[in-house]
Amino acid sequence: MARSIDYRSTSEHPADEVYATMVDPDYLQARLETLGGPGARLEEHTADVHGARYRLRHGLDPEDLPPAVQKVLTGELVIERSESWTRTGEGHYDGQVTVRIPGTPASAAGWMRLADLNGSEAGASEFVVHADVTVKVPLIGGKIETTVAESVTRLLASETAFTLDYLR
């Protein structure tokens, strides 16, 4: 059974500005250098005002994982993360994300939305992510899914803080 991740953040910047930053290769490289772990890099990248597609490589030190997870996910861990974005209207972008950890039974997939907020918060935007984490390991898969989901939520919060700082 998959574990769901629901993440939401707001920014005082309009969605078009946040989008332009989030898909900029220099920004992505800087974010990976800060938060991507060992061997992190931008593998592929295309972007314009209408949409973007990129693939990121994150590295994980197994010693940073809980002992129960270390037993299943051994050796150097690489996370392959693919994201695609489409501009669906003024100040509105929809995205898809997939995550693979080669050599493991763990994966994640979901959707993203970046949109201007209406009303009194004109100029502000909201970023929303929903993803399902799946770990196909009998008996302890659910525990690992919970751990991975919590780690992904922390990573999203760190990436959001990095983005907001980068926008200043």
Side-chain angles (χ1 to χ4, degrees):
M1 182 173 157
R3 293 288 187 266
S4 290
I5 297 168
D6 289 297
Y7 179 80
R8 181 181 309 267
S9 67
T10 58
S11 167
E12 61 189 30
H13 302 276
D16 290 338
E17 183 180 351
V18 175
Y19 167 79
T21 298
M22 287 176 57
V23 302
D24 177 83
D26 293 333
Y27 157 82
L28 289 166
Q29 191 59 49
R31 190 181 82 189
L32 285 166
E33 286 172 10
T34 302
L35 303 171
R41 65 179 173 264
L42 181 59
E43 301 268 80
E44 294 177 19
H45 182 272
T46 59
D48 60 27
V49 296
H50 305 291
R53 182 176 305 277
Y54 46 90
R55 190 166 48 90
L56 310 169
R57 180 187 190 277
H58 294 263
L60 263 180
D61 186 342
E63 293 177 9
D64 293 337
L65 299 171
V69 177
Q70 288 179 20
K71 291 177 185 173
V72 177
L73 308 178
T74 59
E76 180 182 305
L77 294 175
V78 173
I79 299 170
E80 295 175 354
R81 177 173 162 186
S82 297
E83 294 186 11
S84 63
W85 288 97
T86 303
R87 186 172 194 252
T88 56
E90 187 174 332
H92 194 278
Y93 301 84
D94 289 328
Q96 299 292 316
V97 60
T98 58
V99 177
R100 290 182 347 105
I101 305 174
T104 75
S107 64
W111 57 265
M112 305 173 291
R113 182 181 66 239
L114 173 63
D116 287 335
L117 290 173
N118 296 320
S120 63
E121 300 180 57
S125 61
E126 179 179 59
F127 175 60
V128 178
V129 178
H130 172 83
D132 293 314
V133 175
T134 304
V135 178
K136 295 179 181 174
V137 175
L139 302 176
I140 63 168
K143 180 178 249 182
I144 296 171
E145 287 170 350
T146 299
T147 300
V148 171
E150 290 168 354
S151 296
V152 170
T153 301
R154 283 192 302 276
L155 176 63
L156 289 169
S158 296
E159 289 178 350
T160 297
F162 183 88
T163 303
L164 295 175
D165 188 51
Y166 196 91
L167 283 163
R168 291 187 183 119

